[in-house]
């Protein structure tokens, strides 16, 4: 496997990931810009990584801890 092939494979992988993210945003709706619970701004990286998320990281962790 030469370097050119690895580059192509990585580019294809990045493109597939981006497509998957786009699709999830499309099908699961927009993420909230501010946390539903505490009103803090939700970082863009989290909104993109977790489509449709309504809570900031802190509140999400609290929720999951309470659920256990
Ligand atoms: Zn919050």
């Amino acid at each position: 496997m030469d370097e050119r092939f690895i580059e192509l494979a990585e580019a294809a992988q990045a493109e597939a990931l981006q497509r998957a993210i786009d699709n999830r945003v499309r099908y699961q709706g927009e993420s909230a810009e501010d946390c539903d619970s505490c009103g803090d701004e939700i970082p863009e990286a989290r909104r993109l990584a977790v489509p449709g998320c309504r809570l900031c990281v802190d509140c999400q962790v609290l929720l999951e801890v309470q659920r256990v």
Side-chain angles (χ1 to χ4, degrees):
M1 198 162 17
D2 61 50
E3 269 183 39
R4 178 90 186 110
F5 182 84
I6 293 170
E7 262 176 43
L8 283 174
E10 282 176 353
Q13 215 165 40
E15 204 185 296
L17 183 68
Q18 189 58 54
R19 247 203 313 270
I21 291 170
D22 288 347
N23 284 341
R24 278 194 301 179
V25 169
R26 201 164 303 137
Y27 292 122
Q28 295 187 18
E30 296 277 318
S31 298
E33 287 199 12
D34 301 309
C35 175
D36 269 357
S37 179
C38 70
D40 271 7
E41 191 184 335
I42 300 173
E44 190 181 7
R46 171 164 168 75
R47 282 189 269 130
L48 291 176
V50 191
C53 73
R54 311 296 307 177
L55 300 170
C56 70
V57 179
D58 288 349
C59 292
Q60 185 71 50
V61 169
L62 267 178
L63 192 79
E64 276 164 25
V65 165
Q66 284 166 0
R67 207 183 284 160
V68 174

